[in-house]
Amino acid sequence: MVDAESFIPDAKAEIVEAIGDDNAVIALSGGVDSSTAAALAYDAVGDQLTPVYVDTGLMRKGETEQIRETFEYMDSLRIVDAKDRFLDELDGVTDPEEKRHAIGEQFIREFEEVARDVDADHLVQGTIYPDRIESEGTIKSHHNVGGLPERIDFDGIVEPMADLYKDEVRDVARALDLEEIISERMPFPGPGLAVRIIGEVTEEKLGVAREANHVVEEELEAYDPWQALAAVIGKATGVKGDNRVHGWVVAVRSVESRDGMTARAQEIDWETLQRIQSRITGENESVARVVYDVTHKPPATIEYE
Ligand code: XMP
């Protein structure tokens, strides 16, 4: 286990040395990794670093507002509203890897525009150790690793946390006084809610997924899961009032894990599951069914796509 108190000054010194008098950018996703890397790097080089948050429209409920609040002390912060452009790119795309690709491409376009604008020649990334391992095996294409540097020509890439595990990153985040909502927040995939929607991503499905994920995060917090999530997995028949409806099926998943490479489905008590079901179906007219996923990884993955 790395000691956060001694890691921080060493990492800052490494960042200062790598960036020198140049400008740098970092993609801020709201997750603990990029937030911690951004806070570290901003402490080290101030406004030479431009943190870029791209609002893809695939984010969790309240995430953009949270980012704005938490990082408003960084004068150089850029928030890019790209919701409509992402939805356009995802129109008609149903294959999981094509979805990731479309999101990754659009993300790079948005990011590149800012990087050019601020004349950035360095890229800071919140890559952590398990990202590197999974990417080498290409179990899924994780667009937060590799994509940016391959496409945009930076003089240098700075990855101050490349040897850390997630729990070590959380220690560093706490030592940096990052707000709890960030340091303790569950990991969230780069492509966001798009990998929690089977098939085409539409505004309607996104609305269902966003609300359902919010309910699940709230209700399962006490179980301290590695990740708890909800996915829109299809349609099925249900009854609402006097009518049979063909509504959405929402799958709820909660897993324990150390690094996301393997995971165990959590045992959740019936009452909690029922409360989740009643909130999700109650808050959303178009949801007909809620199911709980009991599959470990392997054979399943954590996300649905
Ligand atoms: P899976 O679903 O492969 O997920 O078991 C393992 C961990 O990785 C996250 N994940 C992603 N993260 N881009 C990301 O940045 C992606 O495309 C992606 N797919 C999965 C997932 O949330 C879990 O923590």
Side-chain angles (χ1 to χ4, degrees):
M1 199 75 179
V2 75
D3 171 39
E5 295 298 338
S6 61
F7 171 82
I8 291 171
D10 289 353
K12 281 199 213 166
E14 183 194 323
I15 295 165
V16 168
E17 168 147 352
I19 297 177
D21 294 328
D22 296 335
N23 291 326
V25 275
I26 180 167
L28 198 53
S29 71
V32 61
D33 302 345
S34 66
S35 298
T36 306
L40 258 179
Y42 193 83
D43 274 6
V45 299
D47 287 334
Q48 277 172 268
L49 174 76
T50 300
V52 185
Y53 172 79
V54 178
D55 184 355
T56 61
L58 309 169
M59 322 304 292
R60 287 174 278 196
K61 188 172 175 172
E63 196 142 29
T64 303
E65 295 73 19
Q66 180 63 45
I67 292 278
R68 205 184 292 282
E69 255 171 55
T70 307
F71 295 105
E72 70 177 347
Y73 75 93
M74 300 177 174
D75 289 335
S76 51
L77 173 68
R78 294 277 191 108
I79 295 184
V80 183
D81 179 358
K83 294 197 258 317
D84 292 344
R85 296 191 284 278
F86 275 86
L87 264 185
D88 276 355
E89 289 301 320
L90 287 168
D91 190 26
V93 181
T94 54
D95 177 79
E97 286 303 298
E98 270 178 42
K99 261 190 213 176
R100 279 193 171 75
H101 184 73
I103 294 165
E105 286 287 307
Q106 188 58 31
F107 187 87
I108 287 169
R109 280 195 284 272
E110 303 286 347
F111 191 76
E112 194 170 24
E113 206 176 308
V114 181
R116 240 194 252 120
D117 192 42
V118 300
D119 225 356
D121 24 39
H122 283 76
L123 174 70
V124 181
Q125 292 209 119
T127 314
I128 65 171
Y129 184 66
D131 295 336
R132 295 193 285 145
I133 301 303
E134 281 224 339
S135 281
E136 276 160 24
T138 55
I139 293 169
K140 282 179 185 173
S141 59
H142 284 201
H143 84 255
N144 57 344
V145 186
L148 286 173
E150 275 158 27
R151 287 281 300 279
I152 310 176
D153 198 16
F154 289 104
D155 289 347
I157 315 278
V158 190
E159 295 182 319
M161 309 185 315
D163 294 329
L164 303 192
Y165 276 97
K166 192 68 122 196
D167 43 1
E168 296 173 320
V169 176
R170 288 192 205 282
D171 275 351
V172 174
R174 281 181 215 118
L176 287 169
D177 279 337
L178 271 183
E179 284 174 57
E180 234 175 61
I181 186 148
I182 291 192
S183 67
E184 308 311 312
R185 201 157 199 186
M186 297 165 199
F188 189 62
L193 297 173
V195 291
R196 296 181 180 174
I197 288 173
I198 293 188
E200 192 183 357
V201 177
T202 62
E203 239 174 323
E204 189 197 351
K205 285 193 204 169
L206 269 174
V208 173
R210 186 172 294 114
E211 283 305 318
N213 271 278
H214 176 64
V215 168
V216 167
E217 275 200 23
E218 261 186 15
E219 294 289 346
L220 295 181
E221 200 186 345
Y223 284 83
D224 196 22
W226 158 268
Q227 270 174 305
L229 58 95
V232 177
I233 60 172
K235 281 204 148 184
T237 302
V239 194
K240 292 256 172 156
D242 294 332
N243 300 318
R244 282 167 80 85
V245 293
H246 200 222
W248 298 113
V249 180
V250 170
V252 174
R253 180 151 178 67
S254 189
V255 296
E256 283 165 9
S257 177
R258 171 154 200 248
D259 51 20
M261 289 192 255
T262 61
R264 287 192 68 78
Q266 282 189 313
E267 202 174 315
I268 308 295
D269 75 89
W270 183 249
E271 218 173 281
T272 307
L273 288 173
Q274 278 301 329
R275 207 167 43 241
I276 290 173
Q277 176 279 124
S278 111
R279 280 185 65 185
I280 294 177
T281 54
E283 284 169 16
N284 205 314
E285 265 301 296
S286 64
V287 178
R289 238 169 249 252
V290 175
V291 298
Y292 185 66
D293 187 337
V294 299
T295 326
H296 305 311
K297 171 184 181 177
T301 51
I302 295 173
E303 304 291 345
Y304 273 76
E305 290 218 316

